[in-house]
Amino acid sequence: MHKHCHGAGRLCLTLGCLLSGLVAGLSLRTCPPPDAPCVARVRHELTVAWKLRAEVDKVISQRSYELLILYDWIPAEEVVQRRTALRGIEAMEAGRHLLCALTFIGCDAEGVEHAIAMVQPKIMSTDALAEKMVTTCGNIPSDLNMDWFGVCSNAIWEWAEAEYMISARLFMSDSGRAQRSDAADKLNIRKTESAAGYDAATYPSSFSPGNICELSRTLLPSKNSRFGLQPVFSGEAFRDVSWVDVTNLRTRHLSAISLLEVLENGADFQLRHPFGLSRVAVNLGGGDGACMVGHSLDPVNCFFPQGFGGVVFEANKTLEPLLFENLAQFAPSVQIVLEAAVEDSVSKRLQEALSRCPSQVPRGEIDIIKVDVDGPDCHLVRGLSQDGWRPKIWHVEINPLFPPDIAVWPSGPSLGSSTTVNRQHDLSSAFSRRGAADEKQALVGCSLQALLDSAGADYVFVHMEFENAVLVRRDISTALEPWLSSRDDVQKWRDGYFCHPMARVRMPHDSDQDSLFLHYDFRRWGVRC
């Protein structure tokens, strides 16, 4: 029986398997350490150290993000450059972990020694700077003064920056600076070439509990023998191309449109839906209606230019001009509802909007319902499911921090009106929202288990697209075998989120000095209870 956690203002640590410094006896030492009172004292008493750590961590996080983007642009034949980039990505994580250990040395005296041991200067591209950092930070003064902390933090930053510059040199302009984003966008085509020739990057396994992220690199035979072994769950295994997900990284998961195509070719699908796809999609939280890749990726908005009809809900009135500019050309097949979707009324309002479409389809014929309203997403899935809506695919934004079997439902400010208008400035750290002083770290979004409970037993979990969970109706899911059953739900969660290289890197929008990831090490949730 899975565990439940209600309330957004705190993490339900009592549900964790892991309340010791070393996670479940494995080789990972968490940082911040699991001593919550001590972490709180550091935050409130060592404010200068906390602020410095937050600033340096943010700079290194940005470099990690940039390296991951660059990694996707490296040509398949550039093996050495690719290895250098991966080494740089690992260096960024080692630097951030050491910086954390230094901040909380008063809570975990052995943490710095453990973090230094993870650096391994001899395998780094800038071994001299790595050695200098290890010496500087390893020479711990008895009084733990801020001068030492500042010098050590600077040594970490210098080393990380040098590793970045070496890893990114192929993408430097003549000025020695990284290319502008508009110039770099021209290289995006490399990300989606079918024969990429190498795996998408994963979180460095040495920093995961018991190296569990190595499992996310497992290969299985492709349906088409000429593709050879492919990563699980691999788009190429279904003769599909890679695509760019919401983190702007190349992913091997099937895109939503490709997933529908695979399902449509299955025998069970043809038996239950002899007329094929309905080509009707529902978007709860359509934003500006644009079809874009990267951070603004919206799978349903990308369906409409391909001839799909359906309904788009959007509560943010400021987006109305852009929404109509992008979608009015598809009317009346695409209906726009300018209001917040609410659990108690969403079914009725959706039915009314669909009745205005030229094609009338029953609730079991909708191809996909996408939910992304930054808060009560699972509540909307629950309301629609209870009223008989059974789309072929659920595509739902969740809070991915927690593995299956931990049902977390948001409450309080994370369910307020601000969530329905998608006010980005209200978002604090990734997956948390600014609230009142005592609710600053209110969690946004439900957990994967809460979504599975909302959708019910008729659905099977296919994969995570970082913070988006994809479910398929069980009675048409056999077309996805043997890949669908090659992983249990926990491993699918690890593959798509926990072992995603961005899972512990602060996103570009996360500049909060009270970021959730500065307070708590979510790696401890990657181990089975």
Side-chain angles (χ1 to χ4, degrees), residues 400-459:
L401 296 172
F402 307 97
D405 292 335
I406 303 296
V408 178
W409 287 85
S411 62
S414 64
L415 285 177
S417 59
S418 62
T419 63
T420 62
V421 297
N422 193 25
R423 284 169 21 203
Q424 184 67 33
H425 65 270
D426 283 338
L427 293 177
S428 175
S429 309
F431 316 124
S432 67
R433 180 175 297 283
R434 297 183 185 278
D438 61 340
E439 294 180 315
K440 186 174 180 61
Q441 294 301 322
L443 296 179
V444 172
C446 63
S447 68
L448 174 58
Q449 187 60 55
L451 173 62
L452 294 173
D453 292 345
S454 300
D458 287 346
Y459 287 87

Side-chain angles (χ1 to χ4, degrees), residues 117-365:
M118 298 293 288
V119 174
Q120 303 180 53
K122 291 183 180 180
I123 69 170
M124 293 299 160
S125 299
T126 56
D127 54 342
L129 282 176
E131 289 283 6
K132 174 186 175 182
M133 179 195 65
V134 166
T135 301
T136 301
C137 298
N139 187 19
I140 304 172
S142 57
D143 60 349
L144 297 177
N145 60 80
M146 271 303 300
D147 288 341
W148 166 76
F149 184 82
V151 170
C152 184
S153 298
N154 187 67
I156 293 173
W157 177 82
E158 285 184 341
W159 169 58
E161 186 70 3
E163 291 287 344
Y164 167 81
M165 294 297 290
I166 288 177
S167 298
R169 63 176 176 263
L170 285 182
F171 300 92
M172 294 294 171
S173 62
D174 293 338
S175 66
R177 298 179 180 178
Q179 292 180 0
R180 292 172 54 87
S181 59
D182 54 352
D185 284 344
K186 297 177 182 178
L187 298 172
N188 266 332
I189 187 65
R190 294 184 185 177
K191 292 186 180 183
T192 55
E193 289 177 346
S194 179
Y198 57 92
D199 299 344
T202 59
Y203 184 73
S205 61
S206 59
F207 288 91
S208 63
N211 293 322
I212 59 172
C213 286
E214 192 65 30
L215 293 174
S216 293
R217 297 172 57 85
T218 302
L219 304 178
L220 287 180
S222 167
K223 279 187 173 183
N224 186 339
S225 59
R226 73 184 179 90
F227 284 94
L229 296 176
Q230 296 293 340
V232 179
F233 184 89
S234 161
E236 281 82 348
F238 292 92
R239 308 184 196 182
D240 194 36
V241 298
S242 301
W243 57 287
V244 181
D245 67 11
V246 293
T247 64
N248 212 23
L249 301 184
R250 179 171 56 90
T251 180
R252 294 296 182 91
H253 291 315
L254 284 172
S255 63
I257 189 66
S258 295
L259 183 56
L260 277 175
E261 291 172 352
V262 171
L263 292 174
E264 187 179 23
N265 290 326
D268 288 338
F269 185 100
Q270 294 172 16
L271 178 65
R272 289 166 174 76
H273 303 283
F275 299 106
L277 296 172
S278 68
R279 302 184 69 79
V280 173
V282 174
N283 196 348
L284 303 183
D288 62 5
C291 172
M292 300 176 64
V293 298
H295 295 306
S296 300
L297 176 69
D298 188 308
V300 170
N301 285 344
C302 292
F303 283 8
F304 299 137
Q306 301 183 57
F308 278 67
V311 177
V312 176
F313 278 72
E314 178 51 53
N316 190 343
K317 301 295 186 182
T318 64
L319 294 176
E320 182 177 350
L322 285 174
L323 189 62
F324 277 93
E325 179 181 338
N326 289 319
L327 297 181
Q329 59 184 310
F330 306 120
S333 295
V334 175
Q335 293 291 317
I336 298 174
V337 181
L338 291 171
E339 63 183 55
V342 180
E343 180 180 3
D344 293 341
S345 61
V346 64
S347 178
K348 178 182 178 182
R349 299 293 291 132
L350 175 57
Q351 187 63 63
E352 291 172 351
L354 281 172
S355 69
R356 296 192 292 270
C357 295
S359 299
Q360 302 298 307
V361 297
R363 299 182 179 191
E365 290 290 338

